[in-house]
Structure formats: structure tokens, C-alpha cells
Amino acid sequence: MKIMNCPLNGPRNISEFAWGGEVKPMPDPASLDDRAWGDWLFLENNEAGVVREWWCHVPTSFWFIAERNTVTDEILKTYPASELFKERVNFAPSAKSPQAEKK
Amino acid sequence: MASLTNLDPATLKRRSFIYRKLAAAGAEFAEVNGGAVAMRYPARAENEMAVARRMGLADLSVLSHGGFKGRGTVEWLTRQGLTIGADSNKAYVQADGELAARLAPTEIFLLDALQGTGRLINQLNAAWQWAPSAPRPQQGYPTPRQDSHAWFMVTGEKSAEMFAKICGVDLRPQHCPVGTIAQTSVAKMSSSIIRADLGSTLAYHLLADIASAEYLWTCVEDAIAEYDGGIVGLAALRSLQA
């Protein structure tokens, strides 16, 4: 069976992992219309070549990042998400949110 | 051996999810910390310790198990007197034989000692309190596991070989020192395995979702049959540890 290296648990059968979509920079939700937000959330670029993806080790619910070549299905590198995301994301209430309307 | 106790598990409020299977296999139950634990299987001709040394399977689900999780968990537990090392996927033995299994940097799964007093977990649950208002100190939060996780123990020299049939991780003793945790898939179920030898006998704790306890028990029971294995009671495990 194909083996993937989980940054927390080490090498494991690929059947223990779930794919979580491409890693894409998040646009500013406050300045985006719903369609553009939906596109970012649900549509994948589906690139041929090396991509960065979210993967989850299911027995531990540990989410991490993998770099994978989608042409050869070769996993090049896996690492914790903390290597990419170093700061907390704070969401400001958007102009359309109910909290903002109350003000 | 004549049985001095013949406790009907249904008379106690805490029973294992698979107690009917254990009873059907001839288990003699005893009360441990208010729960009905399968202590021994008196009808078996062979000595239970001999079975456990070769290839044994026991159900410990009734013994106390629980945990704490979140930022500050390890620091808080250390202040409560626990000794927890820096490595994740390692289990650390506590003063009275309990195990603190570090599943992740900020997640600890606690397993009671085989004596089953529940003392440490009770004491920690009583000590943990949510601060009444913000800002709350970083001390993690309790993750009750008593009714969410089945807890089995696999024992004996054939254990690692048996696991190789139902689990993809190499658990052979030379690759998996005492205290190692493998969070993986066992018989297609997400499970945690912790190596915790009993005296000189190779042994592993096996923890998994309790809703599928019967399924997993049946799978492991089937897998141990190849090695002339058998179900054993808590008494045999205690004797091996002593």
C-alpha cells in the first residue's frame, strides 16, 4: 500500500488519510461578494504538477500540509500547518453580518 | 478453582459494552470501583496466565479512563503532580501505575492502573474547574472517555505478530519500545495502541470507539485464534504484572 508520512505520527498507510483540498490564500471575506467567496471555498484549481494540499490523519484528526505531484501522484513533502500559518486569523464582522447590523 | 463470587454484572450500574459476550465465554465477574469486570474464566482447563503469556485478550473497558486536552493541559496536569515527558505518542507511567498517554502536544489520555481504584482520574476531574469568567487561564479542558472508548488489552509473546494481520504499523518489540503509542487503524477502525508490558510479558493497550466494541472484540478474538490465543480476565493480567 502507498505510504504517507504524517508529521505527527510518522509513516502510515494512505488509507488512514483523508484529502482536504488545495491550500489557497484566503481572500478578505469582508470585501468579497458571496459568489467569489463560494468560488474560493469550493472550487479547486485542479492543477497538473506540484500542488500544496490539506491532508488529515483520520485516527488522530491531525490536519497538515502535503506537497504532491498530481501528475505522478508522488508525495514530495509533508509538514505541520504551523510552518505555513504562523499567525492567528481574526475575522472582523463584515458589513452584512447580523452583529454589524445591530450597531 | 472454586468461585467465591458469582456476581451478576447486571446488578451493577457500570458494565462493559461487551459484557454479554464475556459472560457467554464463561467470565466470572467481580466488582472493581463500582463496575463489573471480567476477572477470570474458571471453566478453562489451561492456566490463564499461561494463555496470557502466549496470546491473551482482555476487556478493561470498565476501568477508569479519561483525559484532558487543549492549551495549558500538560502544564496544569504537571501542577497536579503528574509526570509527563516532552514527546508526543509516548505514554508516561505515574506514581501508582496509571498511564498518561500523550497523544499530541496538548492532549493527554489517562488510563487507570490495573488495580482500578480510579483515584487519579477522580482526583483530577474534581480539581479541574472552569474559571467563572474571562480571561480564563490556559489549563485545557476535560475530555471524558469512559463511555466513548472501549479499552482492551492484548498480551503475550505472539501479540506483535497477531497485530501485523490487522494493523499496518510495525509493533514488533524491537521497533516499538515500552510506552510507544501508535494512533492508527486496527481492523479498519481508528484506534490507539500503547505498548505497556506486564512484568516480562509483551502487552499492548488497545483503545477504540466504543460503539464498535463488539466488532473490534470479535475481530481480535478471531485474529488471536491462529496463535492458540484466548480471552483472559483481569486477575491474570494483575498476576503477570506483580
Side-chain angles (χ1 to χ4, degrees), chain B residues 63-68 108-112 121 125 143-146:
Chain B
L63 302 189
S64 281
H65 49 296
F68 292 87
I108 303 294
F109 197 127
L110 295 160
L111 296 176
D112 201 359
I121 291 168
N125 284 334
T143 49
R145 306 288 198 201
Q146 190 69 42

Side-chain angles (χ1 to χ4, degrees), chain A residues 8-13 15-16 57-60, chain B residues 88-89 103-105 168-169 182-185 190:
Chain A
L8 176 66
N9 297 284
R12 289 287 195 273
N13 286 341
S15 58
E16 293 188 18
H57 180 243
V58 176
T60 50
Chain B
S88 294
N89 279 324
L103 299 184
V169 177
Q183 301 179 79
T184 179
S185 176
S190 289

Side-chain angles (χ1 to χ4, degrees), chain B residues 122-142:
Chain B
N122 287 344
Q123 180 191 313
L124 291 170
N125 284 334
W128 193 94
Q129 284 199 6
W130 193 241
S133 59
R136 296 191 167 95
Q138 291 198 338
Q139 58 176 48
Y141 51 88

Side-chain angles (χ1 to χ4, degrees), chain A residues 5-62:
Chain A
N5 190 51
C6 168
L8 176 66
N9 297 284
R12 289 287 195 273
N13 286 341
I14 197 76
S15 58
E16 293 188 18
F17 296 94
W19 181 78
E22 290 164 7
V23 177
K24 299 171 283 189
M26 187 182 76
D28 176 14
S31 63
L32 222 58
D33 65 17
D34 290 349
R35 172 171 285 277
W37 179 254
D39 285 356
W40 174 75
L41 209 52
F42 299 113
L43 299 185
E44 301 291 333
N45 291 329
N46 206 16
E47 260 171 61
V50 176
V51 294
R52 227 180 226 167
E53 295 169 326
W54 286 103
W55 281 81
C56 178
H57 180 243
V58 176
T60 50
S61 304
F62 180 74

